[in-house]
Each structure stands twice: as C-alpha cells, then as structure tokens.
Amino acid sequence: MHENLLHMTGICKAYTGRGRESVSVLSDFYLGIRAGEEVGLSGPSGFGKSTVARIIMGIEVPDAGHVFWRDQIVCDATTQPDREFFRKVQMVWQDPFIYLNPFLSVRSSIVEPMAAFGIGSKRERRERADSLMQTMGLDPNLGRYRPGMLSGGQCQRAAIARALAVSPELLICDEALCGLDLPLQVDIMAHLTSVQEKSNMALLFISHDRDCISRVCSRTIYLDRQTNSLFPD
Ligand code: ADP
Ligand code: MG
C-alpha cells in the first residue's frame, strides 16, 4: 500500500450562474496521487477538470471536502496552501503566456521562481535554466529572446522548464499541450516523461483528449458529470 502524495476527498463545488441558480460541478469528488505516479484526468469540456486543478492550487475554495498533502490538510473551506506548497506543486496551463512575462527574456522567466525560493546563486540559476531548456528540448540560445519571438510549442517547453525549475514533487498540466500539433505533443511528452522518471516527480495530466493522456499516464480517470464518479480507463 503506497501512501498518497496528494489526495482530495469529499470535494463539492458549485458555481452560482447568471440566473443566481447554483450549478454543481463537483460532488463528493475523490482523487489520490502517489509519489512518482502519473495520473490522467479526463472528461468532456465543462465537466470540472480545471476546477479540480484550481482547488488543488487554492485558487478556488471548495464548498466542502479537503485537499491533503501527505497527511496534512492544505486546502479546504478555511485553509489555504502555504508558500512551500507552491514549490512542491507546480502548474502548467494551456496558455504559456500566463507564466512568461512578455517583457522579460525567456531565460529570466525560468530563473524567476528559483530566485523567489532562494535556490542557488545567480550564476547557478542561469545555468540551471539553460539545462532545463535543454531537458525540455529547447535550444538554450533561445533563452535570451522574449516569448513573443518564440513559437507556441517553444513557449510551452519554456513554461514547463520554468515549472520544473523549483523541483516540484507534483506537476499539474491542465490542457498544457492542447492546440499543439501531434508530433510536437508527443515530443514534449517524451521529454516530460524522462524528467519524471529521473526525478520521481508525480504528474497530474488533465486533458479532454483521452488519446493524449493515455500516451503518458499509467492510470487515467474519467470525470462524469451525472455521478461525478471516476471510471478507470
Ligand atoms: P473543464 O476544465 O472540464 O472544461 P471547468 O472546471 O473549467 O471545466 O468548468 C466546469 C463548469 O463550471 C463549466 O460549466 C464552467 O462554465 C463552470 N465554471 C467554471 N468556473 C466558473 C466560475 N468562476 N463561475 C461560474 N461558473 C464557472
Ligand atoms: Mg479546463
């Protein structure tokens, strides 16, 4: 029996719609992720996948239920994650421009979280940024450019390198490769999988595309609105 790195239990979340009626998105939702495990979360658009990610990251407060990191509650209706949680858990969304400052070089954006968490010297941070770009299949020479000069796929590689910079124990990718051509998706996922194997990082890979998920994840769960139950794939 492996202990969970992160698990969420009894999660309920409803949004109040325009007509002020409350729409239930998650009800009694459960998810468990073990250290080093790659778990897929799939389901049609609008079924609450991003809500799960936002609740884990403390962006959305659940109406009921708890999120645990190992055995400690990190988020619920009254608790918000602490700073260290945001090093241990990193998130990549579909749009890389959320993380890459348009006015900074790509390398500076990768260095930024390391500086924020006091990791390494200035020189070590720059070297690590270059090495992470290489790890993600991005030419480190591109690090001196602003994100506007790079393609969408190159920016997403840089955004993942930035998330990896603080050595997270769990990386959440929410539709992170959505919108990229299939060969690019496959290549980026291969780089990510090799990082994950070396570092024992866990991965929560969220996508509406079940084929995409099944290429990376050993276990995929499927979110169903009616019952909010999870079906093994
Ligand atoms: P998915 O990621 O599976 O596409 P989301 O978690 O983004 O789904 O959204 C689930 C449902 O909740 C959708 O119907 C969406 O319109 C609704 N929703 C999401 N965020 C809000 C919000 N802040 N206010 C009201 N409704 C929301
Ligand atoms: Mg979504």
Side-chain angles (χ1 to χ4, degrees):
M1 178 76 185
H2 300 273
E3 73 166 280
N4 280 317
L5 186 65
L6 179 127
H7 75 277
M8 48 206 307
T9 57
I11 298 288
C12 299
K13 181 71 192 173
Y15 291 110
T16 307
R18 252 188 244 145
R20 291 183 182 273
E21 79 282 17
S22 190
V23 180
S24 170
V25 176
L26 297 171
S27 91
D28 204 15
F29 176 83
Y30 172 87
L31 174 71
I33 305 170
R34 295 187 286 268
E37 190 184 23
E38 62 288 330
V39 178
L41 176 61
S42 193
S45 202
F47 274 38
K49 303 182 298 299
S50 295
T51 300
V52 170
R54 289 197 298 266
I55 288 174
I56 295 174
M57 298 308 287
I59 299 167
E60 209 78 71
V61 178
D63 301 327
H66 311 281
V67 179
F68 294 85
W69 181 261
R70 302 198 192 271
D71 284 329
Q72 300 277 318
I73 291 178
V74 283
C75 342
D76 61 15
T78 56
T79 316
Q80 281 286 294
D82 63 16
R83 189 173 149 80
E84 179 57 12
F85 182 78
F86 293 112
R87 188 199 58 76
K88 291 189 271 201
V89 183
Q90 285 287 308
M91 174 96 213
V92 182
W93 309 92
Q94 183 179 347
D95 181 1
F97 295 102
I98 291 174
Y99 330 84
L100 303 179
N101 186 326
F103 304 109
L104 291 182
S105 71
V106 165
R107 184 183 288 107
S108 301
S109 284
I110 299 173
V111 159
E112 206 175 47
M114 290 187 262
F117 283 98
I119 297 168
S121 65
K122 209 169 170 181
R123 189 178 154 191
E124 284 163 347
R125 292 197 283 262
R126 285 179 66 86
E127 284 170 2
R128 180 163 164 77
D130 283 3
S131 134
L132 284 163
M133 279 187 263
Q134 247 162 348
T135 303
M136 285 313 299
L138 186 66
D139 179 354
N141 290 319
L142 295 174
R144 65 176 191 272
Y145 296 110
R146 292 179 184 185
M149 303 287 286
L150 272 57
S151 71
Q154 287 169 333
C155 285
Q156 201 54 287
R157 288 178 204 268
I160 297 172
R162 176 183 151 97
L164 297 174
V166 293
S167 309
E169 291 172 55
L170 170 66
L171 178 68
I172 304 174
C173 294
D174 186 359
E175 307 282 3
L177 306 179
C178 182
L180 299 178
D181 293 344
L182 186 61
L184 261 184
Q185 287 192 14
V186 171
D187 185 68
I188 294 178
M189 279 190 296
H191 283 94
L192 198 50
T193 308
S194 94
V195 171
Q196 204 214 336
E197 280 164 2
K198 282 181 207 142
S199 64
N200 199 37
M201 177 181 78
L203 185 68
L204 175 61
F205 197 86
I206 302 174
S207 177
H208 66 280
D209 181 350
R210 292 175 86 166
D211 294 338
C212 179
I213 281 194
S214 61
R215 282 192 289 272
V216 224
C217 300
S218 49
R219 184 161 69 91
T220 304
I221 44 190
Y222 191 75
L223 191 52
D224 174 85
R225 172 163 285 166
Q226 266 71 46
T227 58
N228 227 270
S229 52
L230 301 168
F231 298 105
D233 217 14

